[in-house]
Structure formats: structure tokens, C-alpha cells
Amino acid sequence: MKRFHTTETHRDIFAWLDLLDMNILIIIALILLVSLINMVTSLLVLILEKTNMIGILKSVGVKNRSIRTIFIFHAIFLLTRGIFFGNLLGIGIIAFQYFTGFFTLDAEVYSLDVVPVSINFMHIIYINLLTLVTCLIILIIPSYLVTKIDPVKAIRFD
């Protein structure tokens, strides 16, 4: 007697679910790309705004590595603030939905009357660590711009 598995009898449904998984990966990749571009842009703007300070620091003998470290630490500060407030907002919305059931669904279509939510703190920690490490690696690249700044031109720069 041959046994039929659900995946064999309902191939179309599982193919559609696999397509949804691919869409989720594409959306997450686009979100990551946009966030990395925003972080790099903010660091470049920060370096551009502080060009005069960079020139003064270089003229008194501060090494490029030390100046880059200052900007990396400033970027880490901004990044951790963003992660903190993002977590606060995200967990707050999930907790609000969990306790109130504010966001509802059409029960006839979805077989549910409220949007179900769950919190997995390990996933949140992994996402935060991945975000922090990825952004730090990416932010090292624009910090090399500090090494290209000429102290004399930077001090005159307004």
C-alpha cells in the first residue's frame, strides 16, 4: 500500500509557500541593503561635518587610526541607540497586540479573529547581533576616508 504525503498531494500549495519564503528573503535583503546605505551615508556626513576637526587633530599629531576609531565609536553609539529604540518600538507593538488583540482579521477568510503574535527573545538577540556586526564591518570602509583628508586643506575647509 502506497502512502501519500501531504506535500505530494498538495504540491501547488507548498510551491506557493516556498515562493512566499523567497519573497521574505528578498524583502529582508532589501531592508538590510537600505539600512547599510543609510549607516554609511550618516557616517560620511558625520566625517564631512567634522572635516575641520579632523584637520586640527591631524595637525597636532593624532594618528589616522585614532581618528577612525573616534568615528567608529560614534557610529556604534548611533547604531546602538537605533537598535534600542527599534527594539522598544517593535516589542511594544507586539506586546500591545498580545495583550489587547487590537489588530483584527476577518475570521471567515483567515480562520482567526486577531493577528497572532509571539516573541522569541533569542531571535531578537540574534538579529541585533547580526545587525551590529554587519554594520560595523560595513562602517569600517567609509572610515578610511579620514586617512585621505589633508590637514592643511581640512583646516581651511568651511
Side-chain angles (χ1 to χ4, degrees):
M1 178 172 179
K2 186 175 180 183
R3 299 180 109 167
F4 290 101
H5 295 283
T6 306
T7 56
E8 293 174 2
T9 57
H10 300 288
R11 287 186 188 141
D12 293 338
I13 293 173
F14 285 98
W16 179 70
L17 289 173
D18 288 339
L19 186 63
L20 285 178
D21 288 342
M22 179 59 72
N23 287 345
I24 290 170
L25 290 176
I26 290 170
I27 290 169
I28 289 173
L30 288 173
I31 290 171
L32 181 64
L33 179 67
V34 168
S35 65
L36 291 175
I37 289 171
N38 283 335
M39 284 300 300
V40 168
T41 304
S42 66
L43 186 61
L44 289 174
V45 167
L46 184 66
I47 290 171
L48 188 61
E49 285 180 352
K50 301 295 183 183
T51 302
N52 197 341
M53 181 193 77
I54 293 169
I56 292 170
L57 289 172
K58 281 186 167 191
S59 67
V60 295
V62 177
K63 304 274 188 219
N64 284 330
R65 183 179 180 109
S66 298
I67 298 171
R68 283 182 47 231
T69 303
I70 291 169
F71 284 99
I72 293 289
F73 278 127
H74 192 68
I76 290 171
F77 172 73
L78 293 174
L79 185 61
T80 53
R81 281 183 57 192
I83 288 173
F84 173 76
F85 288 116
N87 285 333
L88 195 65
L89 179 66
I91 293 171
I93 291 171
I94 290 174
F96 177 73
Q97 175 63 17
Y98 182 80
F99 291 115
T100 65
F102 180 76
F103 300 105
T104 59
L105 297 170
D106 184 8
E108 293 177 11
V109 176
Y110 295 104
S111 303
L112 297 168
D113 56 348
V114 295
V115 176
V117 294
S118 69
I119 297 176
N120 186 334
F121 286 105
M122 288 309 296
H123 288 169
I124 293 171
I125 291 169
Y126 290 146
I127 290 170
N128 287 335
L129 287 176
L130 179 67
T131 302
L132 190 64
V133 169
T134 305
C135 286
L136 287 178
I137 290 170
I138 295 297
L139 288 175
I140 290 172
I141 297 167
S143 72
Y144 277 105
L145 182 63
V146 171
T147 63
K148 305 294 183 200
I149 295 175
D150 182 35
V152 175
K153 290 180 183 176
I155 292 173
R156 286 189 223 162
F157 182 78
D158 282 322

